[in-house]
Amino acid sequence: MRDLPQDTSASHPDVWTGHATNRVQWLLALVGAACVALGIQLAVDSAWTSGSAPLVMSVVGCILAGLLVLFGTLAFVSVALRVDQDSLEVRCGHIGVPRRRIPLSHVAGADFVAHVTPRHWGGWGYRWRPEKGTAVVVRQGEGLVLRLWDGHTFTVTVDDAEAAVRVIRERLRAITPDAAH
């Protein structure tokens, strides 16, 4: 983590938005779609003669595994970050779920991190590690770390994380210490 230069002359918009995308996860989504297609193919055109139970288990297994992989990866293909006057909101994927809203009154500070990797957090997605905190990691690269008043941290990989940190710090300066607890 590093400190950013304090540029108090720059005016920030009322709402700052940023995002990050991971195109590699589209390949995993294709694997999930292929599993669903295989399950449908088995259901429609099967020549199984050993009974219906193995066929049903295979069809249901392929379809459920495919849907799990498909929706699990599509949920973390992208992340959108929104910082307004009162809060920071993180939305994942195209439908915005999972979502987390953190009031700025719960934030003690924000730091820029130049290199966040899925390996640091145990993979892509919404992650929690007791020794590190919570993170939304959709790709390798820059991110921001929020230090919360309760001692926890929240990390997000987002493009132009330095600008997000500047906006958050400016907004935190406007919050009085009494209102922060």
Side-chain angles (χ1 to χ4, degrees), residues 16-23 25 73-82 88-100 124-126 135-140 142-144 154-159:
W16 184 92
T17 59
H19 69 279
T21 305
N22 184 345
R23 298 183 198 285
Q25 293 215 209
T73 56
L74 288 179
F76 296 104
V77 168
S78 65
V79 64
L81 178 67
R82 182 179 190 274
L88 173 134
E89 185 177 63
V90 177
R91 293 176 158 210
C92 300
H94 296 292
I95 58 173
V97 176
R99 171 184 323 181
R100 179 154 182 201
W124 285 309
Y126 200 103
V136 176
V137 180
V138 297
R139 56 119 173 99
Q140 174 175 301
E142 65 182 295
L144 67 94
F154 185 74
T155 304
V156 181
T157 55
V158 65
D159 296 337

Side-chain angles (χ1 to χ4, degrees), residues 93-118:
H94 296 292
I95 58 173
V97 176
R99 171 184 323 181
R100 179 154 182 201
R101 183 179 176 278
I102 301 172
L104 290 177
S105 62
H106 295 179
V107 177
D111 297 305
F112 173 78
V113 180
H115 192 69
V116 177
T117 68

